[in-house]
Amino acid sequence: MSRTPRPAAARRTIARKGGPSRRSPVGADPERSPSSLDLVVDSLAAYRLTRLATIDVVGEPARQAILRRVGIAEPVADGTAHPNAEAMVDADPAPPKLATLVTCRWCAGIWVAVGVGAARRWAPRAWSPVAWGLALSAGAALLARLEEG
């Protein structure tokens, strides 16, 4: 059996793009720009991840562990409720940068956005379902806030 030769234009296209072997194993296409929908989904995913990292209740044990590691001791309880990580950092006159990072939405948000952008660029097939799940979670949270008040 003989192979049918590819047309010259197809050979030039494959050579220009680096051929099939240069593509990422997870399907990153350096020629494709994110769509408007990708940007909206990634924005909501970044919002949700930032919220998880900085203020959501489920992330509090991790934040507390980081604060203990950087040397912020828990304030003496005077019968009041156990302080959250944000209150502990606010009470410290000169908190370490890492402590500020895990409690400041603006500070953490830029790093989360960088990670989201990198995931979209280099692992779009793996990132897309994760991003959609996070975006739907963010949408539900925002709607619940509207419902509350």
Side-chain angles (χ1 to χ4, degrees), residues 20-109:
S21 62
R22 293 223 22 220
R23 290 188 71 165
S24 166
V26 292
D29 186 359
E31 304 293 323
R32 181 185 170 274
S33 295
S35 69
S36 297
L37 181 60
D38 289 338
L39 293 175
V40 170
V41 168
D42 286 351
S43 296
L44 287 167
Y47 164 77
R48 185 66 185 121
L49 285 171
T50 300
R51 189 164 172 82
L52 282 168
T54 59
I55 59 174
D56 271 0
V57 173
V58 297
E60 188 65 25
R63 286 189 295 279
Q64 293 282 343
I66 290 169
L67 294 184
R68 281 191 301 275
R69 189 128 167 106
V70 298
I72 295 182
E74 296 180 20
V76 177
D78 56 353
T80 59
H82 184 71
N84 64 13
E86 189 173 13
M88 291 169 61
V89 171
D90 288 344
D92 192 317
K97 290 180 182 176
L98 184 59
T100 302
L101 180 67
V102 298
T103 58
C104 170
R105 286 169 274 196
W106 293 102
C107 306

